[in-house]
Amino acid sequence: LVMQSTGGDPFMHQNQNIPAAEGPLQFRYRVRSDSDGEGMFFWGTENHPHFGPQQRLEFEMHHDEAWHEYVVPFEADSPLTSIRIDPSTARGRIEIDWVRIEDADGEVLQEWNFAD
């Protein structure tokens, strides 16, 4: 999946095929980028369906055009309903190989594979 960011707040959002999991989970994805800025991961649940600061985690991204895998542990207070990924905060090309939602042990609950 290729995103061409024009700057500001590039993101992708998914609310279909989301595993109705709760408790300790982790978001994992493989990406390469020539953009800039931190990454952010948001999640929505049945109890808290809207994205906001209580359901947002920031993580350091490496924008060196090499493939990197990122893991972001998070806690869903009720069944998961949606996710959002903000891979940068600047202009640039962002390529996403795959996205996964996993349980705390790393078992894949859902995967979106864009490599095909």
Side-chain angles (χ1 to χ4, degrees), residues 6-19:
T6 58
D9 191 18
F11 70 91
M12 61 185 253
H13 169 262
Q14 177 65 287
N15 62 3
Q16 298 178 357
N17 300 319
I18 301 292

Side-chain angles (χ1 to χ4, degrees), residues 98-116:
W98 47 259
V99 174
R100 297 178 183 150
I101 298 296
E102 302 174 344
D103 68 13
D105 296 325
E107 181 180 332
V108 176
L109 303 176
Q110 178 65 43
E111 178 179 62
W112 296 270
N113 191 334
F114 306 109
D116 299 334

Side-chain angles (χ1 to χ4, degrees), residues 36-48:
D36 197 13
E38 289 188 325
M40 285 187 274
F41 172 69
F42 298 79
W43 65 97
T45 65
E46 285 183 8
N47 288 347
H48 297 95

Side-chain angles (χ1 to χ4, degrees), residues 3 13 18 27 40 54 59 62-63 65-66 81 86 104 107-108:
M3 298 175 70
H13 169 262
I18 301 292
F27 156 73
M40 285 187 274
Q54 276 68 359
F59 57 98
H62 303 283
H63 300 283
E65 299 183 52
T81 58
D86 294 31
E107 181 180 332
V108 176

Side-chain angles (χ1 to χ4, degrees), residues 6-93:
T6 58
D9 191 18
F11 70 91
M12 61 185 253
H13 169 262
Q14 177 65 287
N15 62 3
Q16 298 178 357
N17 300 319
I18 301 292
E22 56 188 297
L25 301 169
Q26 51 191 29
F27 156 73
R28 181 185 302 259
Y29 82 142
R30 186 170 185 259
V31 61
R32 69 179 169 186
S33 167
D34 68 0
S35 187
D36 197 13
E38 289 188 325
M40 285 187 274
F41 172 69
F42 298 79
W43 65 97
T45 65
E46 285 183 8
N47 288 347
H48 297 95
H50 303 290
F51 301 132
Q54 276 68 359
Q55 290 166 227
R56 178 186 76 202
L57 293 169
E58 297 176 4
F59 57 98
E60 182 180 353
M61 291 273 301
H62 303 283
H63 300 283
D64 58 6
E65 299 183 52
W67 286 105
H68 296 277
E69 191 173 310
Y70 300 94
V71 180
V72 180
F74 69 102
E75 181 91 21
D77 64 353
S78 60
L80 199 60
T81 58
S82 60
I83 61 170
R84 174 178 156 167
I85 306 161
D86 294 31
S88 74
T89 58
R91 292 178 162 276
R93 180 182 170 93

